[in-house]
Amino acid sequence: MKASIFCLPSVGSRADIEAGMAAMRPELYQKMLKELTELVKLADDLGYDSVSFTEHHFHIEGFELSNNPVLLDLYFAMQTKRIRVGQLGIVLPAANPIRVAEDIAMLDHMTGGRACAGFARGYQRRWVDIMAQQTHGVSGTLPHQHDEIDKVNREAFEENWQIIKKCWTEEMLTFDGKFWKVPAGATPWDLETTTKYGKGVENGMLKAVGVVPKPLQKPYPPVFLPFASSPNSIRWAATEGVTAILPPMHPAYEAPLYDLYAEVSGKPRGHGTGLLRDVIICDSDEEAMKLWEDSGRFSGKAWFEPFGFRKGLMDPATKAFPSAKETVDHGYALVGTVDTVTRALEVNMKRQPVDWLFCYTYNALVPHATLMKSTEAFWTKVMPRFT
């Protein structure tokens, strides 16, 4: 099992966020960059596989201040030696797929082949509806939403992925889809230089384009899907050879997804999948739980639960949600001492061994010194028992 760092990232402590408009404070953004630089360098030195950032826009509240994860990837890659950098993930329905393909290919070259790629569908309508309007007008879609909005969002996601894959693997690109067409229509192009040195033109008309550069890694960087919780998403990931990262879910919901991925991919159960888990290690369970209350549980209640992300933890029989202690006991969060976290991870591995563990890292919400110590303890004292 490989371990990776996942950062929103956030700016400011709980007190900063509760004071309001934390993202408007440049000093908090500067502090975030400084502290994350130290964290990523530590993870690089320790041996973590990779670090990834989300994509969101307009986050004035201070959570998930990550409007350009590829730029963050490059920033931290330039300060490290071996750790891989990626996105969990770029929201494809709101993106120009050709630009995404170009950006990640450039990142792959500039990092010497250390790029990962991650693509999401987008659930926050505040920004997805605005950012997608000039491409094809799709909307964000909530987890567990199944309607026409969800259908169009998924169609845009899957079409954009097909274009990105063609950009990376085919010399010349043509595409005739619902949302995108390449060429866009009758496009005159009679440049003699293209006739001599290029391709894609017939009788003075553009017939195809070449998207460059191609990625350094062949056929392309490893691709991840965050945070897969529906059969449709799992089926897509398994079909495309994409690693599906599952959020915390009750076994009644989780187990069928592992079965489905194995069935579609033809891989052994658990292969091609990974887990997302909060990770906070302290000298005592009480200290860790208190920090978790001000970080993971605070942001969960304030930001993620309203979008429906906790529904997967509901017991389908009793309709009850686990308490904080039960969440750790069942392995849905890795919070406590080294021994407590080790037992919690063992619970997960007994249910289903997986290829990946993405460590949800609450920068700024967990004091920096504590986060550094926790990150080191997890790698040096917990992971050796699982690798």
Side-chain angles (χ1 to χ4, degrees), residues 9 29-41 51 53 68-81 83 85-86 107 110-111 114:
Y29 196 87
Q30 284 291 307
K31 182 180 180 184
M32 178 272 287
L33 290 177
K34 178 180 180 296
E35 291 182 347
L36 275 189
T37 295
E38 294 175 1
L39 179 69
V40 176
K41 284 183 175 180
V51 59
F53 306 96
N68 191 330
V70 173
L71 201 55
L72 282 175
D73 287 339
L74 183 60
Y75 178 76
F76 294 114
M78 294 296 96
Q79 303 178 76
T80 52
K81 299 174 183 177
I83 196 168
V85 291
L107 177 70
M110 292 175 180
T111 61
R114 287 195 277 150

Side-chain angles (χ1 to χ4, degrees), residues 368-380:
H368 182 59
T370 302
L371 184 59
M372 295 283 282
K373 183 178 177 182
S374 173
T375 301
E376 182 171 5
F378 185 78
W379 182 264
T380 60

Side-chain angles (χ1 to χ4, degrees), residues 25-285:
R25 296 171 56 184
E27 73 276 12
L28 292 183
Y29 196 87
Q30 284 291 307
K31 182 180 180 184
M32 178 272 287
L33 290 177
K34 178 180 180 296
E35 291 182 347
L36 275 189
T37 295
E38 294 175 1
L39 179 69
V40 176
K41 284 183 175 180
L42 173 65
D44 184 41
D45 291 339
L46 289 170
Y48 279 86
D49 179 83
S50 54
V51 59
S52 299
F53 306 96
T54 185
E55 180 198 1
H56 289 294
H57 302 264
F58 315 143
H59 275 213
I60 52 178
E61 299 86 357
F63 301 107
E64 298 185 298
L65 201 61
S66 182
N67 49 295
N68 191 330
V70 173
L71 201 55
L72 282 175
D73 287 339
L74 183 60
Y75 178 76
F76 294 114
M78 294 296 96
Q79 303 178 76
T80 52
K81 299 174 183 177
R82 47 148 298 278
I83 196 168
R84 301 169 68 82
V85 291
Q87 322 86 40
L88 289 180
I90 293 174
V91 176
L92 285 191
N96 181 316
I98 296 175
R99 285 190 178 275
V100 171
E102 292 170 338
D103 288 350
I104 293 178
M106 289 174 65
L107 177 70
D108 201 32
H109 280 276
M110 292 175 180
T111 61
R114 287 195 277 150
C116 298
F119 303 124
R121 290 181 53 207
Y123 66 94
Q124 295 184 12
R125 294 198 61 173
R126 178 173 67 176
W127 78 261
V128 175
D129 289 24
I130 293 173
M131 302 294 277
Q133 66 178 313
Q134 290 186 326
T135 50
H136 36 67
V138 299
S139 296
T141 179
L142 295 174
H144 317 296
Q145 183 175 342
H146 302 287
D147 57 14
E148 189 60 28
I149 292 175
D150 176 72
K151 177 176 178 289
V152 174
N153 179 288
R154 186 175 294 279
E155 287 175 344
F157 174 88
E158 294 185 1
E159 180 171 304
N160 281 8
W161 161 246
Q162 292 302 323
I163 294 171
I164 290 170
K165 189 164 61 170
K166 287 169 73 72
C167 289
W168 284 342
T169 60
E170 297 182 7
E171 182 182 56
M172 303 298 291
L173 172 67
T174 61
F175 197 84
D176 186 12
K178 177 177 179 179
F179 305 105
W180 297 93
K181 298 185 185 302
V182 182
T187 306
W189 188 265
D190 57 1
L191 192 68
E192 185 179 353
T193 302
T194 300
T195 303
K196 288 182 177 179
Y197 309 130
K199 278 187 177 182
V201 176
E202 294 179 12
N203 301 318
M205 299 298 292
L206 187 68
K207 298 298 181 180
V209 295
V211 179
V212 290
K214 303 300 183 189
L216 182 59
Q217 299 176 80
K218 300 301 178 188
Y220 43 78
V223 181
F224 297 85
L225 176 67
F227 293 105
S229 59
S230 73
N232 285 337
S233 294
I234 291 293
R235 185 176 292 105
W236 175 85
T239 300
E240 295 293 335
V242 170
T243 300
I245 307 302
L246 278 62
M249 284 186 288
H250 188 280
Y253 308 121
E254 184 183 65
L257 297 181
Y258 287 127
D259 291 337
L260 179 61
Y261 193 100
E263 176 188 346
V264 174
S265 69
K267 298 177 180 179
R269 195 175 189 269
H271 287 226
T273 64
L275 298 173
L276 174 72
R277 292 293 186 266
D278 292 4
V279 177
I280 302 176
I281 296 178
C282 293
D283 293 334
S284 70
D285 289 340

